[in-house]
């Protein structure tokens, strides 16, 4: 097992956060509260109850099976959530939705065609729905959105609305640079490189992953074939220390609540180390939180001085120190 002394300083500092109330501070970025319950249209509930009641009276009837599955799919469509989890349910939903869209058919008619080819699958899904009970199906529809599915949007909100203030807190008054938040999606593509030439010392790019990737490639003079990580770019910040020294910080963001995904972690580390380009002053990093930090990066291979893996809580510090110290801040 690697020793912490062999890691980059930002990875070491991430582990040190455990002694400073790491999880409580992490709630500032990734809120632990799921929010309000979902609203379920009355007609969705009624359709589920009617189909459920009909199925209980005729469990051997293909018609009743199809009707119950139809009510389940209708709920999935209207509420954008399945009344219960089953590996085959999204497959059937996709087939039915595709057929309904392409042939301009109602959901009921499209399901009839799918059911004629997959009767046993429909039977199993109807049985699984019945086993859970209709009230349990409706209650699941009303449950607040799962927190795990909100991690990405939570980061984007914090990044867009709070990162600027966090950086300003870490920079002393007399040397505080102008910090701007811009969206390349609201600028013409040919204007993207000019953003780094403005008076701002730190530029925080916001927008879709694709827009951030395109802006970074444009500013760095990279070709279309260039990769910026395993799945794109979650953030892009330009740090302009002087007219002659501009740093580009790109990265991917990840949150893990268990020990899964070690193969993905190793891919992330490999990509991050590749993206350390001191000539272009381009640093590609991985921002990761949750179990990796809590477990002190147990199972992570490839961590080293030139591989920057850090917590989101240290992102403002990294940006501020890059502005103040340049390459020295990287701890290489």
């Amino acid at each position: 097992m690697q020793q912490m002394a062999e890691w980059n300083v930002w990875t070491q500092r991430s582990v040190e956060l455990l002694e400073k109330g790491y999880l409580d501070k992490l709630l500032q970025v990734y809120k632990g509260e799921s929010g309000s319950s979902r609203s379920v249209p009355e007609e969705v509930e009624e359709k589920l109850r009617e189909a459920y009641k009909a199925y209980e009276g005729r469990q051997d009837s293909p018609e009743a099976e199809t009707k119950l599955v139809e009510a389940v799919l209708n709920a999935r469509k209207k509420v954008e959530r399945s009344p219960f989890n089953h590996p085959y349910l999204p497959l059937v939903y996709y087939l039915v939705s595709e057929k309904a869209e392409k042939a301009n058919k109602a959901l009921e008619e499209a399901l009839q065609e799918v059911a004629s080819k997959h009767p046993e699958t429909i039977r199993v899904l109807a049985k699984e729905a019945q086993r859970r009970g209709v009230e349990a199906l409706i209650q699941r529809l009303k449950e607040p959105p799962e927190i795990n599915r909100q991690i990405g949007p939570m980061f984007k909100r914090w990044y867009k609305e709070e990162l600027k203030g966090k950086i300003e807190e870490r920079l002393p008054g007399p040397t505080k640079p102008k910090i701007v938040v811009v969206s390349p999606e609201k600028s013409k593509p040919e204007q993207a490189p000019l953003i780094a030439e403005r008076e701002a010392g730190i530029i925080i790019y916001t927008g879709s992953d694709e827009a951030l990737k395109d802006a970074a490639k444009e500013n760095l003079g990279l070709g279309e074939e260039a990769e910026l990580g395993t799945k794109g770019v979650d953030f892009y910040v330009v740090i302009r220390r002087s007219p002659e020294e501009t740093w580009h910080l790109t990265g991917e963001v990840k949150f893990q609540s268990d020990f899964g995904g070690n193969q993905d972690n190793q891919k992330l580390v490999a990509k991050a180390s590749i993206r350390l380009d001191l000539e272009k002053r381009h640093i590609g990093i991985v921002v990761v939180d949750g179990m990796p930090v809590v477990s002190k990066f147990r199972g992570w291979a490839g961590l080293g001085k030139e591989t920057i893996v850090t917590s989101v809580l240290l992102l403002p510090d990294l940006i501020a120190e890059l502005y103040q110290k340049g390459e020295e801040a990287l701890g290489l």
Side-chain angles (χ1 to χ4, degrees), residues 209-259:
D209 295 357
E210 190 70 21
L212 298 184
K213 180 184 70 174
D214 290 345
K217 284 186 176 182
E218 188 76 21
N219 284 340
L220 287 162
L222 300 176
E224 282 295 320
E225 71 285 352
E227 290 188 25
L228 296 180
T230 57
K231 64 179 182 62
V233 174
D234 290 318
F235 62 87
Y236 173 38
V237 180
V238 170
I239 301 102
R240 190 166 181 263
R241 301 190 71 221
S242 70
E244 296 78 29
E245 185 180 345
T246 298
W247 292 86
H248 301 263
L249 183 66
T250 61
E252 297 180 52
V253 178
K254 192 170 185 180
F255 185 102
Q256 283 183 231
S257 55
D258 55 36
F259 283 109

Side-chain angles (χ1 to χ4, degrees), residues 258-321:
D258 55 36
F259 283 109
N262 278 336
Q263 288 185 338
D264 289 340
N265 294 340
Q266 291 175 29
K267 291 178 183 177
L268 283 168
V269 169
K271 291 291 183 181
S273 61
I274 290 172
R275 288 184 278 147
L276 181 61
D277 187 339
L278 296 180
E279 184 178 349
K280 287 182 177 290
R281 296 194 178 95
H282 173 210
I283 312 120
I285 73 172
V286 176
V287 170
V288 65
D289 283 285
M291 187 59 75
V293 176
V294 169
S295 68
K296 301 179 182 179
F297 292 93
R298 171 184 165 186
W300 280 63
L303 294 176
K305 294 291 186 183
E306 296 186 351
T307 303
I308 302 179
V309 178
T310 191
S311 166
V312 69
L313 298 177
L314 295 176
L315 187 58
D317 299 85
L318 175 57
I319 294 169
E321 291 187 29

Side-chain angles (χ1 to χ4, degrees), residues 50-68 112 122-123 126-127 130:
E50 289 174 4
Y52 187 89
K53 184 177 181 180
Y55 176 80
E56 283 199 311
R58 298 187 299 159
Q59 291 190 22
D60 294 329
S61 165
E63 181 183 351
E65 293 168 353
T66 303
K67 202 69 178 176
L68 180 53
Q112 291 290 346
I122 300 302
R123 186 194 69 78
K127 188 65 177 176
Q130 186 268 339

Side-chain angles (χ1 to χ4, degrees), residues 21-315:
Y22 168 67
L23 293 180
D24 281 5
K25 291 180 179 179
L26 199 59
L27 287 171
Q28 298 171 13
V29 182
Y30 303 117
K31 312 297 183 184
E33 299 174 357
S34 54
S36 304
S37 298
R38 298 172 189 253
S39 175
V40 178
E42 188 175 334
E43 61 269 23
V44 169
E45 291 191 36
E46 290 179 358
K47 192 164 188 174
L48 273 171
R49 287 195 171 94
E50 289 174 4
Y52 187 89
K53 184 177 181 180
Y55 176 80
E56 283 199 311
R58 298 187 299 159
Q59 291 190 22
D60 294 329
S61 165
E63 181 183 351
E65 293 168 353
T66 303
K67 202 69 178 176
L68 180 53
V69 173
E70 180 196 337
V72 168
L73 297 183
N74 176 67
R76 167 66 180 82
K77 180 179 180 181
K78 299 290 186 182
V79 186
E80 297 185 345
R81 183 175 198 170
S82 295
F84 67 97
N85 285 331
H86 192 284
Y88 281 80
L89 189 55
L91 305 181
V92 171
Y93 181 75
Y94 178 84
L95 289 174
V96 172
S97 299
E98 183 184 45
K99 189 171 290 293
E101 183 178 349
K102 287 185 176 180
N104 195 26
K105 295 181 177 180
L107 185 144
E108 180 180 4
E109 188 179 357
L111 176 58
Q112 291 290 346
E113 290 190 30
V114 172
S116 67
K117 297 177 182 178
H118 310 279
E120 183 63 14
T121 302
I122 300 302
R123 186 194 69 78
V124 168
L125 289 177
K127 188 65 177 176
E128 288 298 307
Q130 186 268 339
R131 283 175 177 168
R132 285 160 172 79
V134 68
E135 296 305 323
L137 298 180
I138 293 172
Q139 181 57 40
R140 175 169 169 75
L141 291 173
K142 293 180 178 180
E143 289 177 359
E146 295 178 13
I147 295 176
N148 285 347
R149 295 183 179 274
Q150 301 177 59
I151 292 296
M154 284 179 183
F155 170 79
K156 288 289 189 181
R157 183 204 62 79
W158 175 86
Y159 173 75
K160 181 179 180 180
E161 299 176 8
E162 299 187 36
L163 178 59
K164 176 183 175 182
K166 298 292 184 183
I167 297 170
E168 289 174 335
E169 290 173 5
R170 289 156 173 79
L171 291 169
T175 60
K176 187 174 296 185
K178 179 180 179 182
I179 304 176
V180 297
V181 180
V182 299
S183 172
E185 293 173 315
K186 296 181 180 179
S187 305
K188 295 180 180 179
E190 62 270 18
Q191 292 178 331
L194 302 179
I195 294 176
E197 302 300 324
R198 295 176 182 171
E199 293 181 0
I202 297 175
I203 303 99
I204 301 170
Y205 285 76
T206 66
S208 67
D209 295 357
E210 190 70 21
L212 298 184
K213 180 184 70 174
D214 290 345
K217 284 186 176 182
E218 188 76 21
N219 284 340
L220 287 162
L222 300 176
E224 282 295 320
E225 71 285 352
E227 290 188 25
L228 296 180
T230 57
K231 64 179 182 62
V233 174
D234 290 318
F235 62 87
Y236 173 38
V237 180
V238 170
I239 301 102
R240 190 166 181 263
R241 301 190 71 221
S242 70
E244 296 78 29
E245 185 180 345
T246 298
W247 292 86
H248 301 263
L249 183 66
T250 61
E252 297 180 52
V253 178
K254 192 170 185 180
F255 185 102
Q256 283 183 231
S257 55
D258 55 36
F259 283 109
N262 278 336
Q263 288 185 338
D264 289 340
N265 294 340
Q266 291 175 29
K267 291 178 183 177
L268 283 168
V269 169
K271 291 291 183 181
S273 61
I274 290 172
R275 288 184 278 147
L276 181 61
D277 187 339
L278 296 180
E279 184 178 349
K280 287 182 177 290
R281 296 194 178 95
H282 173 210
I283 312 120
I285 73 172
V286 176
V287 170
V288 65
D289 283 285
M291 187 59 75
V293 176
V294 169
S295 68
K296 301 179 182 179
F297 292 93
R298 171 184 165 186
W300 280 63
L303 294 176
K305 294 291 186 183
E306 296 186 351
T307 303
I308 302 179
V309 178
T310 191
S311 166
V312 69
L313 298 177
L314 295 176
L315 187 58

Side-chain angles (χ1 to χ4, degrees), residues 5-23:
E6 300 174 13
W7 298 349
N8 182 273
V9 64
W10 292 99
T11 310
Q12 296 178 39
R13 287 172 66 173
S14 297
V15 173
E16 291 168 2
L17 290 172
L18 289 171
E19 303 301 321
K20 303 173 183 178
Y22 168 67
L23 293 180

